[in-house]
Amino acid sequence: MKVDVKTTDGQAMSGLAITQPVGTALRIAPGFVATAQDEHTGVETTIEAHYNSRRGRYIITTIVNRAITDEFDEDRLRHAAPQAILQAAIPHCIAVQLDDGPDATWLTVADLTTNEGRIIPPWMAQAVVKRGMKDERWDVIEILYGTSALADLPPVKMIALELNVPERTASDWIRRARGAGRLVGLTSNVGRPVGD
């Protein structure tokens, strides 16, 4: 799904527009507006979402559907799919620095995403599964966990898929990254009631 993502004040989303620190290595946009057009149904859906620190993820606060052709699908106009738009927008709203130098730039996770739909490039995934790559591994776990948790997706499944490791290993790495203080401000409630 192709989405157009902007800041809540209408600026283009970029590494410079993403200002709120989360975890130890990430910055996120405090809020965003994302628009997706479905030419087949003739419907455009726009959502606005804001980061909620108590929940550790983005919360959709506004959903607007509108017809963009005369031959639009009335049922689709009444029933939006905001979660899919949220999930497609999240990589544009998270920024990371891949280098520690004074001239290091902030890249969005969308800048890292491959054409195959992977969040991190294959070379990065291969590097972090090697023994002795703890700091680099926790950086990548933070990127993947943050991307999935902020979109309300299951982090263990995403990490296992992206790094080609068993879910048990992914779960252990999440626990260790959290123990190292790497996932502060990020919470996944997938599969648990919101109050837990």
Side-chain angles (χ1 to χ4, degrees):
M1 170 182 298
K2 185 173 177 355
V3 295
D4 178 40
V5 184
K6 297 187 187 280
T7 63
T8 53
D9 62 358
Q11 295 178 37
M13 191 62 72
S14 68
L16 295 174
I18 300 172
T19 59
Q20 184 169 343
V22 174
T24 60
L26 304 178
R27 290 192 329 196
I28 63 171
F32 65 88
V33 175
T35 302
Q37 290 187 348
D38 185 337
E39 302 295 332
H40 175 71
T41 61
V43 175
E44 175 185 86
T45 302
T46 300
I47 65 167
E48 182 173 342
H50 296 271
Y51 175 69
N52 181 301
S53 60
R54 187 178 61 76
R55 292 188 181 177
R57 62 186 170 90
Y58 283 106
I59 306 297
I60 296 173
T61 57
T62 305
I63 303 169
V64 177
N65 282 343
R66 74 179 186 95
I68 54 175
T69 68
D70 291 338
E71 300 298 320
F72 65 92
D73 181 334
E74 292 178 49
D75 288 332
R76 178 66 195 271
L77 186 61
R78 289 191 295 264
H79 303 288
Q83 191 65 25
I85 297 169
L86 176 76
Q87 291 168 0
I90 294 294
H92 299 273
C93 301
I94 302 172
V96 298
Q97 284 183 319
L98 297 181
D99 149 9
D100 292 336
D103 297 331
T105 59
W106 287 92
L107 299 170
T108 68
V109 170
D111 294 333
L112 298 176
T113 303
T114 67
N115 289 338
E116 297 83 37
R118 301 304 278 270
I119 300 295
I120 59 170
W123 63 266
M124 187 181 284
Q126 291 168 358
V128 300
V129 297
K130 295 178 182 174
R131 290 188 185 272
M133 301 298 284
K134 296 251 190 278
D135 287 338
E136 295 85 353
R137 182 178 299 148
W138 303 154
D139 288 343
V140 170
I141 294 298
E142 191 169 349
I143 292 167
L144 295 173
Y145 186 94
T147 301
S148 58
L150 289 167
D152 209 20
L153 293 169
V156 171
K157 289 184 184 299
M158 178 182 282
I159 291 168
L161 176 68
E162 288 278 333
L163 300 180
N164 196 26
V165 297
E167 288 187 14
R168 183 172 42 198
T169 300
S171 182
D172 181 54
W173 286 353
I174 290 169
R175 184 181 52 76
R176 290 177 184 212
R178 189 171 297 287
R182 300 303 293 266
L183 304 178
V184 175
L186 300 167
T187 306
S188 173
N189 288 321
V190 175
R192 290 178 285 180
V194 173
D196 290 356

